Amino acid sequence: MSSQNPNNVPSSASGSVASGNMATGETAIRPGRRTLLAVIVAAAVIIMLAVGMGFAFATTRGAGHTASATPANTTGAAASQSASASGASGDAASADSAAGAAASASNGGAASSSSAAAALSGAKLLEYADQACNPHVNFTGSTATESLVGESGGKTLTLMSGKDSDKRTYQCVVRETRVPQSVLSRVRATGMNDGLQSASWDGVTMTWSVNDNVGVQLMFAAGR
């Protein structure tokens, strides 16, 4: 019994058709694979470029940050050194000022400590000195104390300065009453046996005496 072909198509023709269909499918598949491969390669290239650009940007930014940070740190160090130098200069100036003040006090400080006192004379000058220098301590005879007694209205002013005292009130009084340097030299040269000494300036007369055991007494009177 012979086999029948339902479509009445010769077997050779059927084979040719099948072969043609397979060839067409392979032809259709191959371009699709090539396209997919090209897409994958292109994506890989893009990713590599992106990674490379990102790395380069990060490196450049880090180098720029380091370069900008170095001058700032250097500036900060320089500012710190400058501040330290200024502080040292300020301390030296303060020390010089303190030494100058001490020297002025030890020399009697003939110049007044305020411009207001420089314009005063007579009773006003004595009243100002009493307000500026009075330690409000009674002189008890102790050689370590100082006292200042002023008459109302500045008519008189009396200073008792013990020989063992710190002489702060004495220095203040001779400064604020503007005792001339020549008079201060006379006071320092006065001995116990020289008795009362006196001098006048700016509407003020000062009488003083020195006791080797007790100290110095200065008596100021206005208008004489």
Side-chain angles (χ1 to χ4, degrees):
M1 181 182 294
S2 62
S3 60
Q4 296 181 355
N5 189 340
N7 296 322
N8 295 320
V9 178
S11 58
S12 59
S14 297
S16 299
V17 172
S19 299
N21 290 337
M22 291 177 63
T24 302
E26 291 177 357
T27 303
I29 290 172
R30 288 175 183 173
R33 290 180 179 177
R34 287 196 296 269
T35 302
L36 179 60
L37 182 60
V39 170
I40 293 173
V41 172
V45 171
I46 292 173
I47 292 173
M48 292 177 64
L49 289 175
V51 171
M53 291 177 65
F55 180 76
F57 177 76
T59 302
T60 304
R61 183 176 182 181
H65 179 72
T66 302
S68 62
T70 300
N73 293 336
T74 304
T75 303
S80 177
Q81 293 176 357
S82 176
S84 299
S86 299
S89 299
D91 292 341
S94 299
D96 291 342
S97 298
S104 177
S106 64
N107 291 330
S112 175
S113 63
S114 68
S115 58
L120 301 178
S121 63
K124 292 294 184 182
L125 183 61
L126 297 183
E127 188 175 18
Y128 176 84
D130 186 17
Q131 294 174 353
C133 305
N134 202 324
H136 301 289
V137 175
N138 294 326
F139 192 80
T140 61
S142 170
T143 59
T145 62
E146 290 183 295
S147 69
L148 187 61
V149 180
E151 187 178 351
S152 178
K155 294 180 180 179
T156 63
L157 185 64
T158 301
L159 168 69
M160 295 292 294
S161 179
K163 70 181 184 66
D164 298 322
S165 68
D166 57 13
K167 301 296 189 294
R168 289 184 180 180
T169 304
Y170 172 87
Q171 292 166 1
C172 180
V173 169
V174 298
R175 181 178 66 246
E176 298 304 335
T177 56
R178 303 196 300 273
V179 180
Q181 287 292 337
S182 59
V183 177
L184 289 177
S185 297
R186 288 177 57 192
V187 172
R188 287 191 288 267
T190 301
M192 185 173 179
N193 298 323
D194 292 334
L196 291 175
Q197 305 290 317
S198 65
S200 299
W201 69 93
D202 294 343
V204 172
T205 296
M206 183 182 78
T207 303
W208 71 91
S209 64
V210 175
N211 188 302
D212 295 340
N213 298 319
V214 178
V216 180
Q217 181 178 16
L218 304 181
M219 295 163 285
F220 299 86
R224 294 183 186 178

